[in-house]
Amino acid sequence: MWKLKIAEGRSNPLLRTTNDHAGRQVWEFDPDDSDEIAAVEAARIEFSSRRNQTKNSSDLLMRIQFSKSNRLKMNLPAIKLDEHAFATEEDVLISLKRAIGRYSTLQAHDGHWPGDYAGTLFLLPSLIVALHVTESLNTVLSSEHQKEIRRYLYNHQNEDGGWGLHIEGRSTMFCSVMNYVALRLLGEGLDSCGPMLQARSWILDHGGATLTPSWGKFFLSVLGVYEWSGNNPLPPEIWMMPYFLPIHPGRMWCHCRLVYLPMSYLYGKRFVGATTSSVVLDLRKELYSVPYDEIDWDKARNGCAKEDLYYPRSPLQDVVWATLKKVGEPLLMHWPGNKLRKRALDVVMEHIRYEDETTQYICIAALNKMLNMICRWVEDPNSEAFKLHIQRVYDFLWVAEDGMKMKSYNGSQLWDTALTVQAIFATGLTKVFGPTIKLAHDYIKRSQIRVDCPGDQSKWHRHISKGGWTHSTADHRWPVSDCTAEALKVLLLLTKVPPELIGEPMESSRLDDTVNLLLSLMNDDGSFGAYELTRSYEWLELLNPSESFGGIMIEYPYVECTSSVIQGLVLFKETYPTHYRREEIDKCIRKAADYTESIQRADGSWYGCWAICFTYGTWFGVSGLIAAGRTYENSQSIRKACEFLLSKELPSGGWGESYLSSQDKVYTNLEGNKAHAVNTSWAMLALIDAGQGKRDPACLHRAAKVLINFQMEDGEFPQQDIIGATNHNLMLTYAQFRNIFPIWALGEYYRRVLQAQKA
């Protein structure tokens, strides 16, 4: 049986940590443990039987495991409201106690809530390729790992034979090729029928692997089933350009530069894994509609299937790539230009080493971690660095009833925990669930980054990090503005609770560090990005080479980050009214609120970039303005936002927003006008913040009824359609949102609508 291990690794000399591995999640297989195997197999069968209708798993393996150690006696009745009834105060209170009671049993012993954070379908095959070319596939992944990975890949194959960018997406060449390759590397063969043959048919019917976008071309080249001459150049010399140039990679979005950093190293080396294995030679025959040695690689360089072309190349790119290909690369591949190439590769490797060392070999996210791992193997296959990388692969793997998947990060531990505490706090039941809050409080305090990264920050293009929080664990070391602000809010809210119930508050000096970091992240216009200041210009997006993703080139500002910072600073000012940089805080709040109003869309919504999409962004837009002192009465922005949300309410009384909203930037209901518990919660939270309960609470009564009727027998809310997003076109699973936001919305409804009416 698979077992989830939490905060373990102390005895492993190849694992480094800054806080005793708090938040670390690793699944291990125990062949001697057969407990609950029948329940696990039933869950797997059930998922596979409905995989074409319900794409998200429900983390049942974790729930089966936790139910043994965290038993819950549910002595409260399930509430179901008929067509003509609305929730009473007692109904909502019972629903909340059932939900929080059940959700508390899913808390890990170190205080965080573990869960699935996958959904993306190119990461796992990228890992398989990385392990294959570093000759470590069968040593890193056991037969049980490989079995579960195959299960996952087959479970998320579309009915047409292909795979999408994410579990709900239509088939794309990129992920169809990558997942087909991964399965072949894992030993899957081609028979006369079946999913592998269907996958190959999809690829060939849509033009073959020469039409995979640039990231697919890159991984195929590393594997040896595509030629480097069929790639647009990724010259490492760009890292040696003067920093004042807007196109210097240090000015790009950190995720972008840290993916293209190792890509440029492998491109500059023209690294190819061993091509003598039979599967690599077979793939050269299977992926193309013409013989491999007859492919026009220069023509293939700019090929991209229409299914993948989300961000078409600009004419400027055509000029840049052609110039680099025809002029730049020939000069740099031969003397004396190759001297510059060697120096550039050394510079790039220095940056790769710094990223590895400062993140305990976790790296900022899954893709750059795998690429860095390949680079460190190319540098020295027997190095300690490569061994340190291998040990952190397991931090990204997650097992559920649909199989083994790869998370986009090493998790969403801090983010989920900070939101959960606020959700419970909103219910007014903090004292009832004191032990749960105390554990979470401890986790948040332990997860703060206590020191900046070493060395000259500007040399490594890093912002300060002391006082911040990451999306996941302290060992990750990349603070995020909204994660930092949400953690700050929790710590300040809990100063209102007796310490004997939830533990001692954090030292004020550490909160000052947090405020210092947040203030340092404000752009000139009052906005906040996720990781860093905006360092270059939007026109740089004209050079976006990815084809499949938008908004990747610079650190864009986001309404959700800006709103979280506003709320955190307002609460800090209220808690410590005469303390620490008061004038700067006031100025920051005012500028951030003005910025938030300035980016509101004409229809009254805000576009949220980190989740689906308009309900999420609009909740943050409203909550940020309300925190800054704007009201429904004095702010046209808030009035317009409420009108927008009310116009999107479904006949059922809920809200349900498709991932297509993020992709197409047009509000789109879920198929069949289904309500979604999380979208409904976001809309409720925004409307309650804006005072809808005082003006006309009917829509809130309807929405609360929808949420209560969603609640299941065990007290949880269902896992529905995918709800996370990034780069417009890529969707992510936030497994804990299903419980966090209904609890939060019903809690606010209970206190600020029902109890307020009674008062």
Side-chain angles (χ1 to χ4, degrees), residues 307-470:
E307 291 80 7
D308 297 71
L309 197 56
Y310 181 73
Y311 196 91
R313 285 184 307 278
S314 64
L316 175 61
Q317 282 195 57
D318 291 337
V319 173
V320 170
W321 304 143
T323 302
L324 289 172
K325 175 73 174 178
K326 306 296 184 183
V327 180
E329 281 301 304
L331 290 174
L332 292 164
M333 292 294 287
H334 301 91
W335 189 89
N338 59 2
K339 299 290 186 181
L340 180 62
R341 170 59 50 92
K342 183 180 184 303
R343 175 60 187 144
L345 291 171
D346 291 340
V347 169
V348 167
M349 181 52 72
E350 288 178 8
H351 283 272
I352 291 171
R353 291 183 193 127
Y354 189 81
E355 165 71 355
D356 290 346
E357 290 289 325
T358 54
T359 63
Q360 289 36 260
Y361 289 79
I362 295 169
C363 300
I364 194 171
L367 188 61
N368 98 291
K369 187 238 173 350
M370 290 180 284
L371 292 166
N372 280 17
M373 185 172 70
I374 299 173
C375 292
R376 300 308 293 269
W377 185 86
V378 172
E379 181 189 33
D380 180 359
N382 299 311
S383 66
E384 182 185 48
F386 180 68
K387 295 172 185 175
L388 291 165
H389 259 297
I390 289 296
Q391 292 303 310
R392 287 296 190 177
V393 166
Y394 305 108
D395 294 48
F396 289 87
L397 300 177
W398 186 262
V399 187
E401 64 269 28
D402 57 341
M404 178 171 279
K405 58 198 81 175
M406 192 164 195
K407 296 179 289 186
S408 300
Y409 250 58
N410 65 321
S412 54
Q413 295 92 318
L414 183 281
W415 183 242
D416 291 339
T417 303
L419 296 178
T420 294
V421 175
Q422 292 179 74
I424 298 175
F425 195 89
T427 68
L429 298 173
T430 307
K431 293 182 180 179
V432 178
F433 295 97
T436 297
I437 298 295
K438 184 179 186 304
L439 269 178
H441 191 198
D442 289 343
Y443 179 76
I444 292 171
K445 288 188 291 185
R446 293 177 67 193
S447 297
Q448 188 185 32
I449 300 171
R450 304 294 298 275
V451 295
D452 289 324
C453 290
D456 179 358
Q457 304 289 286
S458 62
K459 176 181 178 180
W460 308 108
H461 315 302
R462 290 290 293 266
H463 197 80
I464 62 171
S465 52
K466 182 181 180 181
W469 278 267
T470 75

Side-chain angles (χ1 to χ4, degrees), residues 180-334:
Y180 176 86
V181 166
L183 286 165
R184 291 289 283 118
L185 294 176
L186 290 171
E188 295 294 276
L190 281 174
D191 46 23
S192 58
C193 60
M196 288 299 289
L197 190 65
Q198 191 182 14
R200 183 178 181 231
S201 296
W202 191 96
I203 292 167
L204 295 180
D205 289 347
H206 289 79
T210 55
L211 296 183
T212 193
S214 59
W215 287 14
K217 288 178 166 70
F218 176 87
F219 276 101
L220 294 181
S221 298
V222 167
L223 181 61
V225 296
Y226 189 94
E227 295 300 307
W228 280 114
S229 58
N231 288 259
N232 279 316
L234 294 171
E237 289 75 18
I238 192 172
W239 286 86
M240 300 178 67
M241 298 175 69
Y243 184 77
F244 66 79
L245 294 175
I247 61 171
H248 189 283
R251 295 183 175 274
M252 297 176 185
W253 183 41
C254 53
H255 280 279
C256 177
R257 70 174 181 261
L258 290 172
V259 165
Y260 284 106
L261 173 74
M263 280 187 171
S264 72
Y265 182 84
L266 296 170
Y267 173 82
K269 287 273 189 179
R270 300 297 198 275
F271 168 74
V272 179
T275 58
T276 54
S277 68
S278 59
V279 67
V280 169
L281 298 175
D282 287 342
L283 284 167
R284 288 185 173 188
K285 300 174 184 175
E286 295 166 12
L287 292 173
Y288 306 101
S289 55
V290 298
Y292 188 80
D293 58 3
E294 295 179 13
I295 295 172
D296 183 339
W297 296 110
D298 191 56
K299 180 181 178 182
R301 182 167 55 86
N302 291 316
C304 184
K306 68 180 189 314
E307 291 80 7
D308 297 71
L309 197 56
Y310 181 73
Y311 196 91
R313 285 184 307 278
S314 64
L316 175 61
Q317 282 195 57
D318 291 337
V319 173
V320 170
W321 304 143
T323 302
L324 289 172
K325 175 73 174 178
K326 306 296 184 183
V327 180
E329 281 301 304
L331 290 174
L332 292 164
M333 292 294 287
H334 301 91

Side-chain angles (χ1 to χ4, degrees), residues 494-515:
L494 294 185
T495 61
K496 303 173 183 179
V497 181
E500 58 268 21
L501 184 67
I502 52 88
E504 293 295 326
M506 180 180 276
E507 302 96 308
S508 62
S509 62
R510 291 173 62 184
L511 298 180
D512 293 349
D513 291 338
T514 301
V515 172

Side-chain angles (χ1 to χ4, degrees), residues 103 415-416 419-420 423 736-745:
Y103 190 42
W415 183 242
D416 291 339
L419 296 178
T420 294
Q736 301 299 7
F737 279 16
R738 61 188 276 200
N739 290 312
I740 293 170
F741 287 106
I743 290 171
W744 197 336

Side-chain angles (χ1 to χ4, degrees), residues 404-681:
M404 178 171 279
K405 58 198 81 175
M406 192 164 195
K407 296 179 289 186
S408 300
Y409 250 58
N410 65 321
S412 54
Q413 295 92 318
L414 183 281
W415 183 242
D416 291 339
T417 303
L419 296 178
T420 294
V421 175
Q422 292 179 74
I424 298 175
F425 195 89
T427 68
L429 298 173
T430 307
K431 293 182 180 179
V432 178
F433 295 97
T436 297
I437 298 295
K438 184 179 186 304
L439 269 178
H441 191 198
D442 289 343
Y443 179 76
I444 292 171
K445 288 188 291 185
R446 293 177 67 193
S447 297
Q448 188 185 32
I449 300 171
R450 304 294 298 275
V451 295
D452 289 324
C453 290
D456 179 358
Q457 304 289 286
S458 62
K459 176 181 178 180
W460 308 108
H461 315 302
R462 290 290 293 266
H463 197 80
I464 62 171
S465 52
K466 182 181 180 181
W469 278 267
T470 75
H471 193 69
S472 55
T473 63
D475 284 344
H476 179 272
R477 292 288 293 276
W478 276 91
V480 187
S481 62
D482 55 353
C483 298
T484 298
E486 297 298 332
L488 175 65
K489 287 166 62 180
V490 169
L491 296 172
L492 294 170
L493 287 171
L494 294 185
T495 61
K496 303 173 183 179
V497 181
E500 58 268 21
L501 184 67
I502 52 88
E504 293 295 326
M506 180 180 276
E507 302 96 308
S508 62
S509 62
R510 291 173 62 184
L511 298 180
D512 293 349
D513 291 338
T514 301
V515 172
N516 179 64
L517 173 63
L518 291 177
L519 292 174
S520 76
L521 285 167
M522 184 176 71
N523 292 307
D524 291 341
D525 61 0
S527 67
F528 286 81
Y531 296 88
E532 299 165 333
L533 294 163
T534 301
R535 298 173 175 178
S536 196
Y537 306 95
E538 286 193 40
W539 61 257
L540 203 62
E541 204 68 36
L542 293 171
L543 295 175
N544 176 353
S546 70
E547 298 121 332
S548 299
F549 312 109
I552 73 165
M553 293 299 289
I554 64 171
E555 178 70 85
Y556 287 93
Y558 305 106
V559 64
E560 50 265 64
C561 295
T562 305
S563 172
S564 286
V565 174
I566 291 173
Q567 295 174 64
L569 292 179
V570 167
L571 193 53
F572 180 81
K573 185 176 73 168
E574 292 173 356
T575 308
Y576 303 103
T578 61
H579 182 71
Y580 196 68
R581 300 176 71 174
R582 175 63 186 265
E583 291 185 6
E584 293 169 82
I585 290 173
D586 288 340
K587 180 181 178 182
C588 177
I589 292 168
R590 184 173 60 253
K591 288 187 68 175
D594 290 344
Y595 170 79
T596 299
E597 288 189 327
S598 74
I599 61 167
Q600 187 178 29
R601 292 161 60 96
D603 63 3
S605 68
W606 280 272
Y607 180 90
C609 293
W610 297 102
I612 314 294
C613 162
F614 293 108
T615 44
Y616 183 72
T618 304
W619 168 48
F620 271 103
V622 168
S623 60
L625 293 178
I626 294 291
R630 317 285 162 99
T631 67
Y632 183 88
E633 289 72 27
N634 68 22
S635 171
Q636 183 182 5
S637 288
I638 295 175
R639 293 195 297 274
K640 286 173 60 180
C642 291
E643 291 168 5
F644 168 80
L645 290 171
L646 292 171
S647 74
K648 302 304 179 184
E649 184 184 15
L650 297 167
S652 66
W655 282 258
E657 193 175 356
S658 167
Y659 78 84
L660 295 172
S661 288
S662 291
Q663 176 181 297
D664 301 334
K665 300 185 182 179
V666 176
Y667 188 96
T668 307
N669 285 336
L670 288 169
E671 187 176 355
N673 288 335
K674 297 182 298 183
H676 194 296
V678 178
N679 295 130
T680 300
S681 300

